[in-house]
């Protein structure tokens, strides 16, 4: 019988700790420095983009991205998933945009492209597309729609490192993309995030916003000289172009990220195999097994009761708890964000009821940990427990 199954196991290895110790023994600078720059370069090469900016969390990546769009003069509506993490919607609100929501597709838990199209208006400035739980939700038609209508595509890839569409990594399609390196994700810097883009101007804006809006953080000599010329009364080391933040990360996190990146692809293949084995052995009459795995890379085992059944739901939670299998009901972000207190007064009172697919996941969906050293024996035992309910 399974005795203990956490959401994540062994995501910081002994080898990672040894690399950190070796780095510390060199009496290094610990604040943002050469290791951060090296991690940003290596991540850009892995992802296939020109620029990456390392920040202190995936939530910060969300916020700084939307803030940079606002700094570029963008305004209006942002279509964002009501299923994901709180920081996606909060970033939209705090940056002065108006959030607009679309229901999800049960096959990949991302916003449904047809539902998105129905929400596009003349005021739509951006689409914040959350690649939920390692699935790919992009389609050719969706990419054409945002391109034709000049809508900025922002990819939230915090939960989907290494997932692909048309053989290309998610996070390399949009105007910008966000990643998270939280402990429970595909790879970890304990806390950390990344903003990625191919746009040179946006990259410079994000670099400055990360460090209080300071111009000296820009790598563009032309930009720095322009601000210096236009502000002769200011010390050029302390010109603040934007009302920015302190979202810098540190050298230790970058060392950890660089070491983890070396094994990310191999670990992701194990996760793919785990999820496939899980779905192949679940009772499809009780549980949803029709997820679209093409291009996916899931760090979770997604358990979704096929039909509304409160008694089965209670038995599932009781069985998981008794066997000390950690889980999250409603998935990692708590299900339907539109039910949360922070959105009361922001959205109409019954807005959450307009998203039936998401409502089903909210009440009958679960997130169970999927990590590289998870054994096939544990997965098969879990399926047996669930199938017997």
């Amino acid at each position: 019988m399974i005795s203990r199954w956490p959401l994540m196991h062994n995501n910081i290895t002994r080898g990672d700790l040894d690399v950190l110790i070796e780095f510390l023994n060199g009496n290094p600078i610990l604040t943002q420095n050469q290791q951060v720059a090296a991690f940003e370069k290596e991540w850009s090469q892995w992802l296939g983009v020109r620029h990456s900016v390392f920040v202190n969390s995936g939530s910060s990546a969300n916020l700084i991205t939307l803030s940079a769009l606002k700094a570029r003069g963008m305004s209006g509506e942002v279509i964002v998933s009501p299923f994901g993490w709180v920081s996606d919607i909060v970033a939209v609100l705090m940056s002065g945009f108006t959030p607009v929501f679309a229901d999800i597709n049960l096959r990949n838990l991302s916003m449904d492209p047809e539902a998105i199209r129905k929400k596009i208006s003349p005021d739509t400035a951006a689409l914040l597309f959350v690649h939920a739980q390692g699935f790919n939700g992009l389609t050719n038609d969706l990419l054409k729609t945002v391109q034709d209508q000049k809508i900025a595509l922002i990819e939230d890839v915090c939960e989907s490192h290494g997932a692909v569409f048309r053989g290309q990594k998610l996070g390399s399609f949009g105007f910008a993309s966000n990643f998270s390196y939280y402990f429970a994700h595909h790879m970890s810097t304990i806390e950390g995030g990344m903003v990625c883009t191919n746009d040179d101007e946006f990259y410079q804006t994000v670099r400055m916003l990360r460090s209080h809006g300071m111009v000296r953080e820009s790598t563009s000599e032309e930009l720095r000289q322009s601000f210096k010329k236009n502000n002769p009364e200011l010390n050029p080391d302390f010109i603040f172009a934007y009302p920015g933040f302190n979202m810098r990360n540190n050298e230790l996190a970058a060392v950890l990220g660089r070491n983890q990146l070396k094994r990310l692809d191999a670990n992701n293949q194990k996760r793919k195999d785990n999820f496939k084995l899980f779905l192949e052995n679940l009772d499809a009459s009780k549980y949803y097994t029709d997820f679209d795995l093409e291009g996916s890379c899931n760090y979770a085992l997604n358990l979704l009761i096929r039909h509304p059944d409160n008694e089965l739901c209670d038995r599932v939670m009781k069985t998981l708890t008794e066997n000390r299998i950690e889980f999250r009901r409603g998935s990692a972000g708590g299900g339907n964000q539109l039910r949360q207190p922070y959105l009361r007064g922001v959205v109409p009172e019954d807005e959450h009821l307009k998203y039936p697919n998401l409502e089903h996941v909210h009440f009958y969906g679960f997130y169970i940990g999927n990590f590289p050293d998870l054994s096939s024996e544990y997965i098969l035992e879990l399926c047996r427990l669930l199938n017997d309910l």
Side-chain angles (χ1 to χ4, degrees), residues 6-8 11 85 131-135 157-161 180 182-187 268 271-272 275 296-302 331-333 367-372 374:
L7 292 181
M8 180 57 68
N11 210 18
W85 195 249
H131 299 292
Q133 298 287 297
F135 292 105
V157 205
C158 290
E159 299 178 345
S160 300
H161 307 182
S180 169
Y182 178 62
F183 178 77
H185 290 170
H186 293 76
M187 59 171 275
N268 281 348
R271 292 185 174 93
K272 294 175 188 178
F275 194 36
S296 72
C297 184
N298 303 71
Y299 78 97
L301 301 181
N302 296 97
S331 202
Y367 151 39
I368 299 171
N370 175 15
F371 36 88
L374 180 61

Side-chain angles (χ1 to χ4, degrees), residues 13-207:
T13 67
R14 180 68 251 177
D16 291 326
L17 298 178
D18 289 342
V19 168
L20 287 172
I21 292 169
E22 181 180 357
F23 175 70
L24 286 169
N25 283 336
N27 193 29
I29 296 173
L30 296 180
T31 55
Q32 178 181 296
N33 203 260
Q34 295 179 1
Q35 292 294 324
V36 168
F39 182 35
E40 292 171 337
K41 180 179 179 181
E42 291 166 6
W43 182 262
S44 294
Q45 292 171 342
W46 176 84
L47 183 60
V49 297
R50 291 175 60 182
H51 305 297
S52 295
V53 179
F54 190 35
V55 294
N56 54 17
S57 72
S59 296
S60 292
N62 293 152
L63 179 56
I64 205 171
T65 294
L66 272 294
S67 298
L69 293 181
K70 177 63 70 171
R72 290 167 62 96
M74 191 176 290
S75 62
E77 298 175 348
V78 175
I79 300 174
V80 57
S81 178
F83 176 70
W85 195 249
V86 57
S87 63
D88 292 296
I89 300 171
V90 168
V92 174
L93 293 171
M94 293 191 70
S95 300
F97 294 97
T98 300
V100 174
F101 305 98
D103 202 2
I104 62 173
N105 182 339
L106 289 180
R107 295 204 68 208
N108 54 46
L109 305 183
S110 299
M111 283 186 291
D112 182 75
E114 184 57 34
I116 291 171
R117 276 189 284 271
K118 292 178 180 178
K119 295 300 181 78
I120 293 174
S121 78
D123 293 326
T124 303
L127 168 63
L128 178 49
F129 193 89
V130 179
H131 299 292
Q133 298 287 297
F135 292 105
N136 162 60
L138 293 180
T139 66
N140 289 325
D141 287 345
L142 180 59
L143 291 175
K144 186 175 187 304
T145 296
V146 297
Q147 181 178 9
D148 290 347
Q149 302 206 33
K150 296 180 172 55
I151 297 170
L153 173 62
I154 309 300
E155 297 180 79
D156 182 326
V157 205
C158 290
E159 299 178 345
S160 300
H161 307 182
V164 300
F165 175 57
R166 301 186 312 210
Q168 181 179 330
K169 288 187 178 73
L170 301 184
S172 62
F173 288 91
F175 175 77
S177 61
N178 303 149
F179 289 82
S180 169
Y181 307 119
Y182 178 62
F183 178 77
H185 290 170
H186 293 76
M187 59 171 275
S188 178
T189 59
I190 305 174
E191 296 282 359
M194 196 76 82
V195 179
C196 307
T197 187
N198 287 314
D199 187 274
D200 296 342
E201 182 182 345
F202 181 82
Y203 169 62
Q204 300 299 338
T205 302
V206 172
R207 283 189 61 90

